Amino acid sequence: MNAPGSPAPGPLTPDARARGVALARAARRGDTLALHDLLDHLTPYIARICHPIALADGPDATQEALLAAFRSLHTLRDPEALYGWVRSIAVREAVRTARRAARDRPAELAEVPARDDPQLAADIEDVLTRLSPAHRAVLVLRDVEGLDEESAAALLGVPPGTAKSRLHRARSSFRKAWSA
């Protein structure tokens, strides 16, 4: 689901994960150099989450998420939970940024161009723009981040049934737009 120019996909290595946790611990103790290094370390991870949700506004969402993480670092009780905590911030900020950009209305299927229409770009980002931020968020959490439905629902702040139905509608709309 990665669009051209977006951060590389893939899980963090155990060494990178351990480095992030160690930097979070040091930053929470007041080490400003560690805080700077932590934000640099988290930037690609946050961007990988924000870009497919906020699309063209992905860099803005990434900045907002980094700022929110910086401001809230003192609320992180367990540095071992760093990546889940940051993921929830990134999703929230990406959805908020996308909504602010007035892209909250999903495309009607009648508005999806025909297969031979020259306006139809053959890349994922074009198809993603046809989905609402809420649908993009659930797709990213399930299909890019690999979360189960309950975890995705918790991050999105919705009941599991809502997340499941959004995922179904998002995948269906994505398939139809992609194959159109």
Side-chain angles (χ1 to χ4, degrees), residues 20 25 70 72 75 78 80 122:
R25 281 194 176 108
F70 168 76
S72 304
T75 68
D78 179 12
E80 292 290 328

Side-chain angles (χ1 to χ4, degrees), residues 24-172:
R25 281 194 176 108
R28 284 182 37 88
R29 288 192 305 263
D31 183 337
T32 55
L33 184 56
L35 177 61
H36 176 75
D37 290 346
L38 176 64
L39 294 176
D40 285 345
H41 173 78
L42 291 174
T43 299
Y45 178 74
I46 291 172
R48 186 181 83 208
I49 295 166
C50 289
H51 181 77
I53 298 170
L55 302 173
D57 296 307
D60 291 340
T62 300
Q63 283 298 107
E64 292 295 326
L66 283 167
L67 186 57
F70 168 76
R71 287 180 179 151
S72 304
L73 187 59
H74 68 279
T75 68
L76 176 64
R77 292 184 202 130
D78 179 12
E80 292 290 328
L82 173 69
Y83 293 96
W85 178 76
V86 166
R87 184 187 307 121
S88 67
I89 291 171
V91 169
R92 182 182 66 237
E93 293 302 327
V95 169
R96 183 179 297 151
T97 299
R99 282 185 177 144
R100 199 176 318 130
R103 287 191 231 150
D104 202 21
R105 186 186 65 83
E108 294 298 321
L109 291 180
E111 295 173 359
V112 177
R115 176 173 283 148
D116 59 343
D117 191 324
Q119 292 181 359
L120 181 62
D123 71 10
I124 292 171
E125 187 167 348
D126 180 61
V127 175
L128 286 172
T129 61
R130 301 170 192 284
L131 304 178
S132 70
H135 286 164
R136 289 193 302 260
V138 75
L139 273 175
V140 168
L141 290 174
R142 291 284 285 131
D143 296 338
V144 176
E145 289 297 306
L147 295 181
D148 60 28
E149 287 167 3
E150 292 78 26
S151 299
L155 277 171
L156 295 171
V158 298
T162 301
K164 187 174 182 175
S165 66
R166 280 186 190 171
L167 180 63
H168 175 75
R169 285 191 304 267
R171 284 177 175 166
S172 176

